[in-house]
Amino acid sequence: MAKILVSGGTGYIGSHTVVELLEEGMEVVIVDDLSNSERKVLDGITSITGIEPHFEEVDLKDRKATYGVFEKYPDINAIIHFAAFKAVGESVQKPLVYYENNLLSLIHMLEAMKHFNIDNMVFSSSCTVYGEPDVLPVSENAPLKKANSPYGNTKQICEDILQDTINSTEGLGVISLRYFNPIGAHPTASIGELPIGVPNNLVPFITQTAAGLRESLSVFGDDYNTPDGSAIRDYINVVDLAKAHVKAIRRLLDQKQLSAFEVFNLGTGRGLSVFEIIHAFEKSTGQKLNYKIVDRREGDIEKVYADTSYANDELGWKAEKGIEETLQSAWKWEMNIQSKH
């Protein structure tokens, strides 16, 4: 049985991926410092799968503590590296915090992989590496533009670090998954997106507004060059996204490719505007949303959505869940959180 270390495994995408790995019969070791997630996420994972994953509360900026995890679990076969700060706006305000956290955690992880002879990593990247794209939909061959935010820049730098490490390390295989916009929650509503403080992402802001926790939803700009003036993104169901990580891990473990760096875009291939998401939420849940138009947000780009044909063909993965089902799952999760407060 493959043993997978998942850094940031109590986070939003991490926790859903842990569920999919466990359900595929893999053993999971979660490493997380709980700076942006909560320990109770482990209960949600256990309630869905019937399996309690190993958990180590470790800050990957601490090299010694990072090595300690590998000493405790000497039979790790592969790593999925999620652990990173990810709020675009916050990264503009606190660039050094983002560079320190996102770069050091990856560097220490790669050093540990070399030291403990682990050859496989799936890296959690982002469509922010493309910046404001020239051509839509965006394929993996699109040029990487200067990042619009320090967060996006950390993802670009991390990919450079990975490429350089592969070039100097025989046998290392890395798959970088560039996500578009993950939304929704597990259909059981046992895990979902759990922002600490004010949400940075659209859908938790929508569900919190619908639940009465927020007075109104802010739409950042209605003067973009799009059909309805609001920004366009490719919104992908988080469970679909999680399943792609299982495919990527299997590809690494089965292929035993020597020194390869592969990149896949993960999205639906369809762009939806902020207003389209609002209307789809209202339609699928029957909840009316109070929203207001405010100024554009620094670091945001106008429109981006994925060309997913390479992931469909080469990885054998495809996004399957529709937007209304996905938004319903997010609302069900919000209701579950509120019922416990």
Side-chain angles (χ1 to χ4, degrees):
M1 175 170 38
K3 186 178 278 187
I4 314 299
L5 185 149
V6 181
S7 73
T10 53
Y12 175 41
I13 304 167
S15 59
H16 286 81
T17 300
V18 168
V19 164
E20 296 303 319
L21 291 166
L22 292 170
E23 292 192 331
E24 285 281 313
M26 299 188 199
E27 195 176 339
V28 176
V29 179
I30 294 175
V31 177
D32 204 305
D33 65 356
L34 301 176
S35 62
N36 205 19
S37 59
E38 296 181 10
R39 191 181 285 269
K40 66 184 179 194
V41 171
L42 296 167
D43 300 334
I45 292 169
T46 307
S47 77
I48 295 167
T49 61
I51 302 162
E52 189 173 343
H54 306 286
F55 176 73
E56 300 296 327
E57 186 177 344
V58 166
D59 182 347
L60 296 174
K61 295 197 298 295
D62 180 336
R63 182 191 274 113
K64 189 169 176 227
T66 302
Y67 275 48
V69 174
F70 289 87
E71 281 156 6
K72 184 171 177 181
Y73 303 95
D75 52 347
I76 286 165
N77 303 104
I79 289 163
I80 304 182
H81 184 60
F82 290 106
F85 294 154
K86 62 174 181 48
V88 169
E90 184 184 55
S91 77
V92 174
Q93 308 301 321
K94 303 176 179 175
L96 294 179
V97 172
Y98 272 66
Y99 286 115
E100 182 191 35
N101 186 69
N102 294 6
L103 302 185
L104 269 186
S105 62
L106 176 67
I107 290 166
H108 291 162
M109 197 57 97
L110 288 169
E111 287 174 342
M113 285 174 73
K114 286 180 96 159
H115 188 82
F116 294 95
N117 297 314
I118 298 163
D119 290 337
N120 305 300
M121 176 187 272
V122 174
F123 177 67
S124 163
S125 190
S126 163
C127 67
T128 55
V129 299
Y130 298 116
E132 188 81 64
D134 297 324
V135 178
L136 290 170
V138 183
S139 81
E140 289 82 356
N141 302 321
L144 303 192
K145 298 281 200 69
K146 179 170 167 48
N148 281 31
S149 67
Y151 161 70
N153 200 29
T154 66
K155 290 299 183 185
Q156 287 186 357
I157 296 168
C158 283
E159 287 199 0
D160 287 342
I161 291 170
L162 288 165
Q163 184 74 70
D164 291 342
T165 307
I166 283 166
N167 293 344
S168 68
T169 313
E170 198 176 335
L172 183 62
V174 175
I175 292 178
S176 183
L177 300 176
R178 293 175 180 166
Y179 316 152
F180 283 67
N181 286 59
I183 59 169
H186 196 270
T188 60
S190 299
I191 53 172
E193 191 166 7
L194 195 64
I196 292 173
V198 179
N200 287 293
N201 294 340
L202 175 62
V203 171
F205 225 116
I206 285 177
T207 59
Q208 289 188 9
T209 304
L213 298 183
R214 313 241 161 238
E215 205 173 302
S216 69
L217 167 72
S218 295
V219 176
F220 296 104
D222 66 347
D223 56 352
Y224 285 106
N225 181 26
T226 60
D228 62 20
S230 65
I232 287 176
R233 297 286 182 274
D234 186 337
Y235 295 95
I236 175 173
N237 185 291
V238 67
V239 176
D240 281 339
L241 185 67
K243 289 176 191 293
H245 293 75
V246 179
K247 296 267 192 192
I249 282 289
R250 289 215 181 281
R251 182 178 177 86
L252 287 169
L253 295 178
D254 296 348
Q255 278 196 207
K256 290 284 169 252
Q257 286 172 299
L258 293 178
S259 306
F261 182 62
E262 293 188 293
V263 171
F264 294 98
N265 285 342
L266 299 182
T268 64
R270 179 172 169 229
L272 292 170
S273 74
V274 174
F275 289 133
E276 284 178 306
I277 293 291
I278 288 171
H279 299 323
F281 178 81
E282 290 181 333
K283 185 179 166 197
S284 60
T285 64
Q287 301 294 317
K288 279 304 280 176
L289 276 176
N290 184 25
Y291 62 87
K292 61 174 193 269
I293 316 296
V294 297
D295 290 341
R296 294 184 185 191
R297 188 169 52 180
E298 199 175 351
D300 274 351
I301 57 177
E302 186 163 271
K303 51 190 168 203
V304 65
Y305 49 95
D307 178 342
T308 59
S309 51
Y310 186 59
N312 300 160
D313 298 341
E314 194 62 31
L315 203 54
W317 168 89
K318 193 171 194 301
E320 289 169 354
K321 294 179 186 293
I323 192 65
E324 294 197 358
E325 178 188 353
T326 301
L327 290 169
Q328 280 169 349
S329 72
W331 180 236
K332 185 178 171 189
W333 163 244
E334 185 68 56
M335 293 288 85
N336 189 21
I337 301 170
Q338 298 317 319
S339 70
K340 291 177 177 166
H341 284 186

